[in-house]
Amino acid sequence: MSDIPPLEAEIRRLIEAAGPITVAQYMSLCLTHPKHGYYVTRDPLGATGDFTTAPEISQMFGELIGLWMASVWKQMGSPENVRVVELGPGRCTMMVDALRAAQVVPGFRAATVIHLVEISPVLQMQQFEALSGISVPVHWHTSIEQVPAGPLIVLANEFFDALPVHQAVKYKDGWHERTVDIASNGNLVFNVAAEPIAHFEGTLPKQLRAAPLGALYEWRTDFTGMEIGRRISHSNGAALVIDYGHAQSDAGDTFQAVGRHAFADPLAAPGLADLTAHVDFQALGVAVSSMGARVHGPVTQAEFLERLGIMTRAAALMAGANRSDVATIELALSRLTGHGRTAMGDLFKAIAFADPKIGPLPGFNA
Ligand code: SAH
């Protein structure tokens, strides 16, 4: 086994010793294993990395998020201290653009303390550098539970899709959890647990209870969602989550590997490719609202950005730009708000959560 990469060797030993692991355990090991996890060992973003994200496509994205959070801060009653918490900030591009744009709201920057929740030491270093010229205090954490109590605004772009997902397949005798096992030819393969999950069907959203045999359902244990809900409903706050996924819980296998901007087999290279699954916004809404927070949306990313004024911002940037920059801005606009499979406008959704005392939020009402 000497030519097998170290994480794959460890996963095989684990399965040989203790039996198949769940898809969620596999995903968690691949992404966040403390030594060999995908996010722990590299910066996956940008043209030379494995994938790109909305804030990396254009400054307009972060700027609009900045205006969103500053106006939500005003709706919160302009608290003197606000924790701006970003989950999985990547290169901090969104935060830098957001803070610059939010300066137009008097008092917001002075009230802000930034809390970044980031598991990757490589990305923490990049975040430190990206924010080094900014005169706002910054703290790092590896989970939201570590952020001190108090009024807060939580931001998460392309974070929840990276959280481990469980899968189950429907058989005659019930739903069986999907596992990762070793096939007789020695390759990692998907399998299912021998026993069905007890009383599972009753816990599913209504539309899935009549799912046909063979249907596959994905779910996450939403501790982060519940923690967001608990904090914003107890100490004045709001959260904005943007990600790809479905507005309503649905059946279907969305577990995938993304390497070098293309889709790959999620079992082929553990720890060497990004693994993701779509976000189930209905389930996330249930988790956050179960702790007392109010749900706003979801709306599509296109609707959200258009309501926040992306067209006006693009026109302002284009007015002062040369021809090649105008083309770049037009292209960014169509990637962020365009429809269809190759653009982000429909596939990505925005959902917000807030203290029920806070009224309608920007971007969520036509
Ligand atoms: N929000 C950024 C980066 C998205 S990539 C952007 O839009 O560009 C996902 C980010 O979440 C990375 O920073 C990754 O290191 C971080 N991450 C993934 N799983 C995590 C976890 N369990 N806890 C904390 N951070 C995590």
Side-chain angles (χ1 to χ4, degrees), residues 39 45 51 53 55 88-90 117-120 123 157-159 163:
Y39 281 116
L45 292 152
F51 60 92
T53 57
V117 175
E118 174 58 65
I119 201 141
S120 164
L123 288 172
N157 185 61
E158 287 210 36
F159 172 77
L163 297 185

Side-chain angles (χ1 to χ4, degrees), residues 142-163:
T142 51
S143 86
I144 188 173
E145 283 80 4
Q146 297 160 358
V147 176
L152 82 169
I153 296 174
V154 182
L155 305 173
N157 185 61
E158 287 210 36
F159 172 77
F160 280 88
D161 66 86
L163 297 185

Side-chain angles (χ1 to χ4, degrees), residues 297 299 303-304 306-308 360-366:
V299 296
E303 282 172 302
F304 182 66
E306 282 161 12
R307 286 174 188 168
L308 294 183
L361 298 177
F364 291 92
N365 290 277

Side-chain angles (χ1 to χ4, degrees), residues 49-73:
D50 285 326
F51 60 92
T52 194
T53 57
E56 301 294 334
I57 290 172
S58 166
Q59 69 186 76
M60 295 185 286
F61 186 84
E63 289 169 348
L64 294 172
I65 304 294
L67 297 176
W68 184 91
M69 66 179 178
S71 68
V72 169
W73 170 73

Side-chain angles (χ1 to χ4, degrees), residues 233-289:
S233 51
H234 283 73
S235 49
N236 189 12
L240 175 66
V241 173
I242 303 177
D243 220 313
Y244 44 94
H246 31 279
Q248 296 290 318
S249 303
D250 203 355
D253 181 5
T254 71
F255 183 46
Q256 64 185 23
V258 184
R260 309 256 163 233
H261 297 265
F263 298 120
D265 171 4
L267 303 185
L272 303 176
D274 186 30
L275 297 181
T276 77
H278 283 199
V279 172
D280 178 341
F281 284 89
Q282 182 183 351
L284 183 62
V286 168
V288 183
S289 60

